[in-house]
Amino acid sequence: RLLHMTDMHLRWHQPGTADRTERLSREMPAVLERLAGRLDEFEPDVIVFTGDLLDVPNPVVAGDVEDADALAEALAQAEADYHLVRELLVAMETPFVVIPGNHDVVDLVHKVFPESGPVIDHAGFRFVSFCDDLDAARTPYRDGAEADLFDTVLADPDHDLPQIHLQHYMVEPPTFMRSQYDYSTSRTMAQAIESSDRVVAVLSGHYHPGSLFMGPSGVCYSVVPAICSIPHPVRLMDIRPSGGIHITDSAVDAA
């Protein structure tokens, strides 16, 4: 059983809050503490977090701050927030996998969460984590080492365990809201995933309303709604290695 959550947009050591009022950045540590109080009820084997752990200002993410001291201070505050998230997840005493999103500082995520990828096995499944980017039009794309990893895990005999792919951006279904939320190469990616007979689920974030799509060969494409907004949604996924997925949508503050 996976507990899938995404898009927390936390700020605690960082000043301020997210620029959209529904993203309750400063309430997120308390939300994670309440989630920990419900784990005996949810009973996950693995917790999966598909990006935007923090709400780091865009200029800081890009390193585009002219004052070097101000940039260093902002990065130190972000790193402190990542350590806070790590402490809260470790206290849940459940294996977890986290990946960065476009509001995260990638190097800091990899520094604070070194056990989270790019390939890790839990409970009989192979979790493959991708770190992709947005182009100038804010369309997700996959190239370079990430594209090579994708090709390798789908074809190499050493990767024949049932796979769960994690990326911040959507593969399916095609989704547009102010900008394109699925990859520029999503159709090709989905075709390779469906024909591989290795992938059972593709878990993403980024699209805050969330979605759930079942591919023609039974691959589950899950985007859980963003946990940063009330009632702080999570998605429970019971996955069998031989195929078959049962989905239960819940929330930290739902009865």
Side-chain angles (χ1 to χ4, degrees):
R1 169 173 284 189
L2 303 183
L3 190 153
H4 180 199
M5 57 182 176
T6 197
D7 290 79
M8 185 161 57
H9 289 269
L10 179 147
R11 289 195 194 183
W12 189 253
H13 294 91
Q14 298 175 94
T17 188
D19 58 2
R20 296 185 185 177
T21 57
E22 73 274 12
R23 300 179 182 179
L24 305 178
S25 302
R26 306 203 70 79
E27 297 183 25
M28 289 302 101
V31 169
L32 284 184
E33 290 177 349
R34 294 200 298 276
L35 173 62
R38 299 196 64 182
L39 284 192
D40 286 346
E41 172 190 349
F42 291 147
E43 297 184 315
D45 297 300
V46 183
I47 295 170
V48 174
F49 205 120
T50 51
D52 283 358
L53 285 74
L54 305 188
D55 190 86
V56 182
N58 289 335
V60 177
V61 172
D64 190 22
V65 177
E66 291 185 3
D67 187 321
D69 290 338
L71 177 60
E73 181 180 5
L75 290 173
Q77 292 166 341
E79 183 170 353
D81 276 346
Y82 286 122
H83 281 289
L84 172 61
V85 173
R86 181 182 177 84
E87 290 169 5
L88 291 167
L89 289 175
V90 168
M92 296 183 191
E93 299 183 339
T94 302
F96 58 83
V97 184
V98 304
I99 62 171
N102 57 296
H103 288 274
D104 288 309
V105 180
V106 172
D107 289 346
L108 290 180
V109 174
H110 291 161
K111 176 182 178 181
V112 177
F113 299 94
E115 69 281 270
S116 285
V119 178
I120 186 169
D121 295 345
H122 285 299
F125 292 89
R126 179 148 295 169
F127 291 78
V128 185
S129 298
F130 297 95
C131 183
D132 300 312
D133 210 341
L134 299 171
D135 66 17
R138 296 189 59 77
T139 301
Y141 67 93
R142 176 171 293 168
D143 66 0
E146 305 306 309
D148 291 342
L149 175 62
F150 181 75
D151 292 339
T152 298
V153 297
L154 293 184
D156 194 306
D158 290 338
H159 291 286
D160 59 353
L161 277 178
Q163 295 176 16
I164 298 171
H165 287 199
L166 313 178
Q167 53 276 300
H168 184 57
Y169 307 110
M170 301 173 67
V171 177
E172 290 279 21
T175 301
F176 186 93
M177 187 177 71
R178 294 188 297 272
S179 59
Q180 183 176 330
Y181 279 75
D182 59 305
Y183 289 81
S184 56
T185 56
S186 279
R187 306 293 76 74
T188 302
M189 293 167 64
Q191 184 177 19
I193 288 168
E194 297 286 338
S195 62
S196 72
D197 199 31
R198 293 184 175 184
V199 183
V200 296
V202 177
L203 311 186
S204 304
H206 192 51
Y207 181 60
H208 282 215
S211 69
L212 185 62
F213 179 86
M214 300 301 294
S217 68
V219 178
C220 177
Y221 299 84
S222 168
V223 182
V224 62
I227 196 172
C228 63
S229 299
I230 294 172
H232 311 300
V234 297
R235 176 167 288 163
L236 300 172
M237 307 179 69
D238 291 301
I239 307 178
R240 299 174 181 87
S242 59
I245 299 179
H246 182 266
I247 304 292
T248 303
D249 280 339
S250 188
V252 175
D253 292 340

